[in-house]
Structures are given as structure tokens and as C-alpha cells.
Amino acid sequence: MMMEKQFDTLKVEISGNAAWVTFNRPESLNALNLQMMTELQEVLNELKRDADLQVLVLKGEGKGFCSGGDIKAMLKMNGEEDFQHFMKVINDLSITLYTMPKITVSAIHGAAAGLGLSLALATDVVIAEEQSKLAMNFIGIGLVPDGGGHFFMQERLGSQKALHTIWRGEIMNGQEAYSLGLIDKVTAEGRVSEDTEAFVNMINSSPVKAMMESKSILRASRRSQLEQTLELEKDAQWRMRQTEDHIEGIQAFTEKRKPVFKGQ
């Protein structure tokens, strides 16, 4: 299969039975704006229909994997209608990735933060370099995780560790995230592409149909909870956007200073 369409924010390469999808907004550390997410959904839908493809890899161009949602783009949203549309695109992406009938891999170097980390955790295997920077850092701007962040953190860490990790919003390197149980493999600096390629080659010599049956069973049993969590996140995100702490968090971000939160 060859994808004929060219995308502004993504690069898609088909190699054998694997698709490599690269976030391609390096000037913004691959921050997710509406166009990028819409194009990603289009790509995933097309790849999903290709029975010859067995593996899907997500990676980032430039200095990092994905810095999260594009805050500048979000500041331009005009009211609740824009917000609801934005969140629907996010939710559809998370469900598509989680239930994708392929073995899905996130190959992380540099930053994987906020929504970028949520989407990475939606894949089956997360590989990150030792000095990568992973953070579920919504708390820093007075928000809660979205993109299924609560669900994926709970799956990987358990409820209590997930809660405390979300509350802290701290940046972890690859080794710290691996020790916590958040990611599946840590690799040396500069080696994530090579090690991901080795993993793809291993999958090629594995009984993929049996692997996919197990994935399908486990995902089917959890899909409704993911959908419920996404709806709860959407509602909470709208409420948090009205708070004084969120407004202060955004101002502090744009002014490049530490926020002063008041619990309001």
C-alpha cells in the first residue's frame, strides 16, 4: 500500500508490513493543533483498512515526540462549540489508537507531554530514550488530563499511582518512567529508531494473528470504560477552563514564569 495523499503536519512511510507515521510540526515540538489531529485521524482510518499492514509506529520529527496540545491554537478557540469539536477529535483519536487492529508502537525521543503522552500511552508498546522527557503535566495550567490520560495512566500504574502522578505533573526521564511502569522499554539516547525497527522485525517473525486476537479481547472488554472516561474528561476540561487557576496558568505559561495558584 502507498498513501498517495500528502499531509501538511504528518509524514507517512510504508515499509513492508509496517506504517511509520511521523508528527511533522518540529517548529512547535510537534504540538497537536486541530489540523494535525484531523490529518492523523484520516491516516489512522486509512491504515486501519489495510489488511496487509500489521504494525503502526508513531514518532516525532525534530527535537521531540510531541509537546502536547497546541496552547496557542487553543487560545484562539471561539467558545464552547469550538471546544466541543476539538474534544471530539481528541476522543475519536484515542479510541481509534486504543482499538487499532494492528500492533501499535510509540517511539519517543525528547518531549512527550500532556496530550502527546496520552496518545503515546494509547498504543500497545511505548519505547522511550533514557533522556526523553515524559510528563502528564496538565496540572501546570490548572487542567486535567484528556485524550484518555486518566484511563491509560490507571491501566499502567493502578489508580493510586496514577492519581499521584497526575497531581504532581512532574517531568520524568525514560528510565524513571520505565521504573514506574509507565512505559514498556527504555533505550539509549539516539537509539529509539533502531530499537523500534528491531521490535518491528521481531513482530514480523511472530504469530501476529494470535497477538491481535488477544489485543482485541482485552480492548473490547475495556472500550466502554475508555469512552466513559473520555466523556468525563471533556466535561471536566470545560469546567476547569473557567477557573481562575487555569487563567493564571495560561498567563504564566505565555509570560514564561511560575504560576501562582489559589485553588479558585
Side-chain angles (χ1 to χ4, degrees), residues 97-115:
L97 272 175
Y98 186 67
T99 61
M100 193 79 176
K102 319 288 178 190
I103 306 300
T104 57
V105 186
S106 291
I108 295 174
H109 75 290
L115 179 58

Side-chain angles (χ1 to χ4, degrees), residues 18 42 54 80 89 104 106 120 125 135 139 150 164 172 189 202 218 223 230 244:
E42 182 179 346
Q54 295 180 317
E80 187 171 2
V89 175
T104 57
S106 291
V125 180
I139 196 75
H150 293 89
H164 290 183
M172 295 170 278
E189 199 70 7
M202 183 271 291
L218 290 171
R223 175 170 176 153
L230 289 166
E244 293 179 17

Side-chain angles (χ1 to χ4, degrees), residues 239-253:
R239 292 195 304 274
M240 294 306 98
R241 284 172 64 88
Q242 320 309 314
T243 64
E244 293 179 17
D245 279 345
H246 172 63
I247 294 169
E248 164 61 13
I250 290 295
Q251 288 179 343
F253 175 83

